[in-house]
Amino acid sequence: MLYRKVVLAIADGLGDRPNPILGHKTPLEYASTPNLDRLAAKGITGMMDLIASGIPVGTDMGHLILFGYEPQNYPGRGPIEALGIGMDVRPGDIVFRCNFATVDEHGVVVDRRAGRIREGTDKIADAINGIIVHGVTVYFQPATEHRAVLILRGDGLSDQVSDSDPKAPNDGSPFLRIEPLDLTKEAQKTALVLNSFLLKAHSILKDHSVNAERISQGKLPANFILTRGAGKMTELEPITDKLNIKGCCIAGESTVLGVARMAGFQTVTHSSMTGNMDTNIQLKAKLATESLAENDMILVHLKAPDLQGHDNEPFQKAKAIEMFDEMIGLIEKGIPEDVYLAIAADHSTPCEIGEHTGDPVPVLISGPSIRKDRVTEFNEMDCAYGGLGHLTGNDFVRTLHGFMGRVKKQGN
Amino acid sequence: MLYRKVVLAIADGLGDRPNPILGHKTPLEYASTPNLDRLAAKGITGMMDLIASGIPVGTDMGHLILFGYEPQNYPGRGPIEALGIGMDVRPGDIVFRCNFATVDEHGVVVDRRAGRIREGTDKIADAINGIIVHGVTVYFQPATEHRAVLILRGDGLSDQVSDSDPKAPNDGSPFLRIEPLDLTKEAQKTALVLNSFLLKAHSILKDHSVNAERISQGKLPANFILTRGAGKMTELEPITDKLNIKGCCIAGESTVLGVARMAGFQTVTHSSMTGNMDTNIQLKAKLATESLAENDMILVHLKAPDLQGHDNEPFQKAKAIEMFDEMIGLIEKGIPEDVYLAIAADHSTPCEIGEHTGDPVPVLISGPSIRKDRVTEFNEMDCAYGGLGHLTGNDFVRTLHGFMGRVKKQGN
C-alpha cells in the first residue's frame, strides 16, 4: 500500500447562510479567498454533515469526528476539557466542568464567575486538589479565567448526576444540590461524594488567603465550585494507534487540544494563538508544514470565524475567513506535492442565529491524483455541486484515511 | 407488480485515478468506450461506495454486495473459495484456503507453493480427502495450481484458529502450529483436530507416488498443507429465494462463481474465460443474452481491468476497459428492450496504487422508462454528477431489485 500524508485545516464555525448585510452572500462567498478557490478548482469538493442533516454539533463533538471518532464515542465535555488543560484522565473517571463562583452565607450564587477571577486560581485549586471523600479521590485543576475541571476517581461512580450550577444569570438562585439522575447506587454514591466535596471545598475556600485579599480589594471571593456536564471517560483507542500513524494538532483552543490528546495526536500550541482575530497564522502555517516531517496527519485549527458568527458580525466573519485563506496559502506553499491538503469546518455558526446550527459545511480535498471536479469556488453553494457529493463527517474523514492508505480492506 | 429482468455487467477493479501517463485522465476516461457512453447518455448514472467512503473491499466482498448481500453477511474467503471450486459447503463448516507446500525434515517451509505445482494435485488431494480426525471429517479438494480448500465438518468447531502458513517468502520459517485464537473449547478442539490432520496428511503425502515422481524429476514435492483464513459457513438465505427469482452468473473467476453459488445463482463458465486480456467476451455476451430466457437476473463479470490496475499498466487497463465496452455493445444488441442493462464495478484498483482502494466507482442503469440524467459519458468524474447521486453498493443493488419489481413494500 502507498502511504500518503494529509494536512487538514479546520475553520471553526465556517458555515453560514446568505446574509442581507453582505448582499445576500454568505461570509465565505463575500470574503476574498483566492487560495481556497484555487484549491477548489484543482481538487474535489462536497458538503458535509458532521453527524446528519440538521443536527448542530458542539466544537468538541465536531472535532471528535474530524479526528476520526464516531459520534457515539463522545465522552462528554468534561473529559475533553480535562485533557485540554493537560490533566491525567483515566477510563472510568467522572469529569466535570466547573466555575469558580461566589456564594453568600445562604448559599445564593452572587456571581457564577467569582467576579471573573483571573489570578490566584492555581493557589485556590491547590488547596482543594487531592482531597479524598468516602474513598474517592478528587482532582481539581484551574482552566482559563474562572473555569476549572474536577475529576472523581474511585470505584462505583456514575456520570448520571445533576449540576450544582444553577446557570441562571445571578438572579438570586442558590447553588443546587447534586442529585442522582437514575436509580443506580453508583449515581447515588457519586451525588453523595460530590455534595460532601463541594461543602468541604467551600469551608476551605471561604477562608483562603487569596480570597481574603480579594475581599480586602473589594473583589468577589472564589468561595464555591459550580459543577456541570458530568462525563465518564471511556476506554477509547487513540486514532493514531488504530491507523498506525503519527498525528500532530496545531491549535490555540483547549477543547480542540483536548480532543487531539484523546485521539493520540501530539499537540502544539503557543500563547500567540489567541483564538481571536489577532491569532498568529504565520506560526500556525509554519508549524503545520514543519511537523509534516515527523507526522502522517496534521490538523491545524482556526477559531476566529466561529467567534464572529456567535457575535453576529458578518463583515468580521468574512475577515476571519480571509485570514484562514491566507493561512491556507502559506501551508500550500510549504507542503510537498504528494501531500493532501484538506479543508473542513466543525459546524456552521450562521451570523443571523449566533449559535451552532446543523447546516452542512463545505469541504475540499486537493493533492496527488485527485479526481478533480468542476467546482472552482469554495463556498456553501458551489460545493453542493462537488464530486464528493453530500457526505457525513465520518465519511469525509474515512475518505482522507483511505487516501492515506490507512483503511483496512474488507474481505479478501 | 410488473416484473422485469436485469443484466448486471461488472468490470472488476474498474475505478481509477487521473494518471499522468494518460494525460491526467483515468483509464476509463482515456479508453474509447462508445457503448458505455451511449448507455450513460440514455440511462441514469451515479457513484457507488461498495460499503462506505474510503473503505477498500476485496473481490469477494465486492461481489457479495453486488449479488445482494449486506457486508455483515460475509462468511470469510474460505467458504467462498470452497463454493467457487464446487465443493459442498454447509452451515457450520469451518473452511480454510490452503497451499500445497514443500517442507523439509525439520518442518522448514522450503517452498510455500511446492514448486508451483500444477499437475497431479487431484491425486494428492484424493489421498487425504475424507479422513476422520477426532470425529471430525476433513474434506480436501484442489483448486487452481498450488491452491486447495479444506473443510472441517463436525460438532463444536470454531473459525477462531491461527494459520499454519508462515506467509514469509521461503525465508527458512517453519510451518506454524495451529493455535486457538480465543479461550473457547471449540477453538481448542479445532486447533487440535487441524494439527493432527496436518501431520497425518504430511505422513501420507511425503511418500505419495506423485511426489516420488516429482522428486525423481528434480521437482519439489507437495508434502505439506499450509492453511490460512479460517471462515465459518453461515446460514445464508440465497438471494434468489429471498427475491423469488432465478439468477445466472457468467464468469471465469472461482471467487465470483463461489459468491454466485452462495447467492443461489446458476453458474456458467468456460475454459476460454481466462480472466485475462485473451478472455472470450463474445462467449460471455452470447451466454448473458441467451440465459435471459430462463432467468430474471444475469451477472456477467470481466476480470481484466483489475489485473492491469494491480500491475500498474494504465494503457493496458484502458484496453481491458475497451474490451469491456465491446462486450457491453454485444450484450446491448442481444437483449430485449424491456430488460435493464446495468454497469458497475466491485471496487477501484488505481494503477498508481496497485491495490484495491476505497475510491467510489461509477455505475449506470439503462432500460425501460429510466429517469435519464444529464450525464453523457461513463467515467469517474461525469458520473459524480449523475441522477443516482452517491450511493452504497446495497443501495445500488436494491435499486436494481426495485426496478425488477422484487422489493417488498414496507407498510401498506
Side-chain angles (χ1 to χ4, degrees):
Chain A
M1 184 50 77
L2 180 62
Y3 296 125
R4 281 175 169 155
K5 300 185 177 194
V6 165
V7 176
L8 171 57
I10 295 169
D12 205 304
L14 176 68
D16 211 303
R17 299 175 181 175
N19 197 305
I21 293 173
L22 304 177
H24 298 284
K25 291 183 173 184
T26 68
L28 178 54
E29 287 183 297
Y30 183 85
S32 166
T33 54
N35 295 304
L36 290 170
D37 293 341
R38 190 182 55 256
L39 289 173
K42 67 181 199 178
I44 189 165
T45 64
M47 290 303 284
M48 173 174 74
D49 289 304
L50 271 292
I51 295 179
S53 308
I55 302 179
V57 301
T59 294
D60 52 358
M61 178 65 91
H63 281 84
L64 188 93
I65 293 164
L66 290 169
F67 274 100
Y69 289 109
E70 313 257 329
Q72 59 269 30
N73 295 135
Y74 183 67
R77 180 63 169 260
I80 293 171
E81 287 299 306
L83 286 161
I85 61 169
M87 285 179 91
D88 167 34
V89 192
R90 303 183 188 170
D93 282 359
I94 311 297
V95 192
F96 302 79
R97 303 170 70 196
C98 303
N99 273 13
F100 290 105
T102 310
V103 300
D104 68 13
E105 63 274 28
H106 307 294
V108 167
V109 178
V110 176
D111 187 3
R112 280 186 67 243
R113 299 186 183 89
R116 290 194 176 268
I117 186 168
R118 282 169 169 270
E119 276 135 39
T121 52
D122 49 345
K123 284 183 194 144
I124 299 177
D126 276 352
I128 55 173
N129 182 34
I131 288 177
I132 296 173
V133 182
H134 300 298
V136 173
T137 310
V138 185
Y139 297 95
F140 190 89
Q141 218 169 286
T144 54
E145 303 173 7
H146 57 277
R147 298 180 196 91
V149 173
L150 184 156
I151 295 179
L152 300 182
R153 184 172 300 155
D155 293 334
L157 299 174
S158 163
D159 59 357
Q160 292 304 302
V161 294
S162 65
D163 305 332
S164 64
D165 188 346
K167 288 179 195 138
N170 311 330
D171 61 355
S173 300
F175 74 84
L176 304 175
R177 271 186 68 83
I178 308 289
E179 302 287 351
L181 294 178
D182 62 27
L183 297 172
T184 61
K185 64 176 194 296
E186 286 79 8
Q188 287 173 31
K189 175 178 173 181
T190 307
L192 176 75
V193 166
L194 190 52
N195 280 319
S196 302
F197 172 78
L198 294 180
L199 293 180
K200 185 157 192 170
H202 177 58
S203 72
I204 294 169
L205 296 185
K206 70 180 165 45
D207 302 322
H208 193 279
S209 59
V210 168
N211 281 329
E213 200 179 323
R214 286 181 68 82
I215 291 167
S216 76
Q217 296 169 343
K219 292 178 181 167
L220 290 170
N223 64 8
F224 202 83
I225 306 302
L226 293 177
T227 59
R228 64 184 187 281
K232 184 173 202 161
M233 185 62 186
T234 46
E235 188 92 56
L236 271 182
E237 187 185 14
I239 295 297
T240 49
D241 288 0
K242 193 181 154 198
L243 301 182
N244 193 24
I245 60 168
K246 284 186 171 182
C248 178
C249 172
I250 296 136
E253 199 192 7
S254 66
T255 306
V256 175
L257 295 169
V259 181
R261 285 176 190 136
M262 200 167 79
F265 279 54
Q266 179 199 347
T267 53
V268 179
T269 190
H270 188 267
S271 57
S272 67
M273 300 177 189
T274 63
N276 219 314
M277 299 296 277
D278 59 351
T279 195
N280 191 342
I281 56 167
Q282 287 76 18
L283 179 61
K284 284 192 180 183
K286 183 169 174 283
L287 291 169
T289 51
E290 284 177 3
S291 54
L292 263 177
E294 297 288 324
N295 290 281
D296 304 295
M297 187 164 198
I298 312 297
L299 199 143
V300 52
H301 174 255
L302 189 80
K303 185 70 182 173
D306 181 55
L307 296 182
Q308 303 303 340
H310 280 290
D311 290 348
N312 188 15
E313 294 282 0
F315 286 109
Q316 286 300 102
K317 185 164 178 182
K319 271 198 184 169
I321 291 167
E322 289 176 355
M323 196 163 72
F324 181 71
D325 184 76
E326 194 186 334
M327 183 179 84
I328 294 302
L330 296 170
I331 292 171
E332 195 197 355
K333 281 197 192 80
I335 61 176
E337 273 196 359
D338 65 343
V339 170
Y340 293 99
L341 178 50
I343 313 288
D346 56 344
H347 53 75
S348 291
T349 311
C351 289
E352 67 156 3
I353 305 296
E355 289 180 48
H356 303 185
T357 67
D359 302 62
V361 297
V363 292
L364 82 76
I365 309 172
S366 75
S369 316
I370 206 82
R371 292 177 180 172
K372 191 171 82 162
D373 65 20
R374 296 166 190 166
V375 172
T376 57
E377 291 183 39
F378 184 71
N379 59 54
E380 297 89 342
M381 266 53 100
D382 284 276
C383 291
Y385 295 89
L388 291 170
H390 283 60
L391 72 183
T392 67
N394 286 149
D395 287 337
F396 174 70
V397 175
R398 204 187 310 104
T399 299
L400 295 179
H401 293 164
F403 282 144
M404 294 171 71
R406 301 291 181 170
V407 182
K408 214 183 134 202
K409 186 165 73 171
Q410 300 292 306
N412 213 309
Chain B
M1 180 53 73
L2 180 61
Y3 296 125
R4 281 173 167 156
K5 300 186 176 193
V6 166
V7 177
L8 171 57
I10 295 169
D12 204 304
L14 176 69
D16 212 302
R17 298 175 181 174
N19 197 304
I21 292 172
L22 304 178
H24 296 283
K25 292 183 172 184
T26 68
L28 178 54
E29 286 183 297
Y30 183 85
S32 166
T33 53
N35 295 305
L36 290 170
D37 293 342
R38 190 181 57 254
L39 288 173
K42 67 181 198 177
I44 189 164
T45 64
M47 291 301 286
M48 174 173 74
D49 288 305
L50 270 294
I51 295 180
S53 309
I55 302 180
V57 300
T59 295
D60 52 0
M61 178 64 91
H63 280 84
L64 187 92
I65 292 164
L66 290 169
F67 274 99
Y69 288 109
E70 313 257 329
Q72 58 268 30
N73 296 135
Y74 182 68
R77 181 64 170 258
I80 292 171
E81 288 298 306
L83 287 161
I85 60 169
M87 286 178 92
D88 166 35
V89 192
R90 303 183 190 171
D93 283 358
I94 310 298
V95 193
F96 302 79
R97 304 170 71 196
C98 303
N99 273 13
F100 290 104
T102 309
V103 301
D104 69 13
E105 64 275 26
H106 308 295
V108 165
V109 178
V110 176
D111 187 2
R112 281 185 68 242
R113 300 186 182 88
R116 292 195 176 265
I117 186 169
R118 282 172 168 266
E119 276 134 40
T121 52
D122 50 344
K123 283 181 196 148
I124 299 177
D126 276 351
I128 55 174
N129 182 34
I131 287 176
I132 296 174
V133 183
H134 298 298
V136 173
T137 310
V138 185
Y139 297 95
F140 191 89
Q141 219 169 286
T144 55
E145 303 172 8
H146 56 276
R147 298 181 195 90
V149 174
L150 184 158
I151 295 178
L152 300 181
R153 184 172 299 155
D155 292 334
L157 299 175
S158 162
D159 59 357
Q160 292 302 302
V161 294
S162 65
D163 303 333
S164 63
D165 188 346
K167 287 179 193 137
N170 310 330
D171 61 356
S173 300
F175 74 84
L176 304 175
R177 271 187 67 85
I178 308 290
E179 302 285 351
L181 295 177
D182 64 26
L183 297 173
T184 60
K185 64 177 193 295
E186 285 79 8
Q188 287 173 30
K189 176 179 172 180
T190 307
L192 176 77
V193 166
L194 191 51
N195 279 319
S196 303
F197 172 78
L198 293 179
L199 292 180
K200 184 157 191 171
H202 177 59
S203 72
I204 294 169
L205 296 185
K206 71 179 162 49
D207 302 321
H208 193 281
S209 60
V210 168
N211 281 328
E213 198 182 323
R214 286 181 68 81
I215 293 167
S216 75
Q217 295 168 343
K219 293 178 182 169
L220 290 170
N223 63 9
F224 202 83
I225 306 302
L226 294 177
T227 58
R228 64 183 186 281
K232 186 173 200 161
M233 184 62 188
T234 46
E235 187 93 54
L236 271 182
E237 187 185 13
I239 295 297
T240 48
D241 288 0
K242 193 181 154 198
L243 301 183
N244 193 23
I245 60 168
K246 284 187 172 181
C248 177
C249 172
I250 296 136
E253 201 192 7
S254 66
T255 306
V256 176
L257 295 169
V259 181
R261 284 175 191 139
M262 201 167 79
F265 278 55
Q266 178 200 345
T267 54
V268 180
T269 190
H270 188 265
S271 58
S272 67
M273 301 178 188
T274 63
N276 218 315
M277 300 295 277
D278 59 352
T279 195
N280 191 343
I281 56 167
Q282 288 76 20
L283 179 61
K284 285 191 180 183
K286 182 169 174 283
L287 290 169
T289 50
E290 285 177 1
S291 54
L292 264 176
E294 297 289 322
N295 291 280
D296 304 295
M297 186 166 199
I298 312 297
L299 199 143
V300 52
H301 174 256
L302 187 81
K303 186 70 181 173
D306 182 55
L307 296 182
Q308 303 302 340
H310 279 288
D311 290 347
N312 187 14
E313 293 283 0
F315 287 109
Q316 287 299 104
K317 186 165 178 182
K319 272 199 182 165
I321 292 167
E322 289 176 355
M323 196 163 70
F324 181 71
D325 184 75
E326 195 186 332
M327 184 179 83
I328 295 302
L330 296 172
I331 292 171
E332 195 197 356
K333 282 200 191 80
I335 61 176
E337 274 196 359
D338 66 342
V339 170
Y340 293 100
L341 178 51
I343 313 288
D346 56 344
H347 53 75
S348 290
T349 310
C351 290
E352 68 157 6
I353 305 295
E355 289 180 49
H356 303 185
T357 68
D359 302 62
V361 296
V363 293
L364 82 75
I365 309 172
S366 76
S369 317
I370 205 83
R371 294 178 180 171
K372 189 172 84 162
D373 64 21
R374 294 165 192 169
V375 172
T376 57
E377 291 182 41
F378 185 71
N379 60 54
E380 296 90 343
M381 266 53 100
D382 284 275
C383 291
Y385 294 88
L388 290 171
H390 282 62
L391 71 182
T392 66
N394 286 151
D395 287 338
F396 174 69
V397 175
R398 203 186 311 103
T399 300
L400 295 179
H401 293 164
F403 282 144
M404 294 171 71
R406 301 291 180 170
V407 182
K408 215 183 136 200
K409 185 165 72 175
Q410 300 290 305
N412 216 311

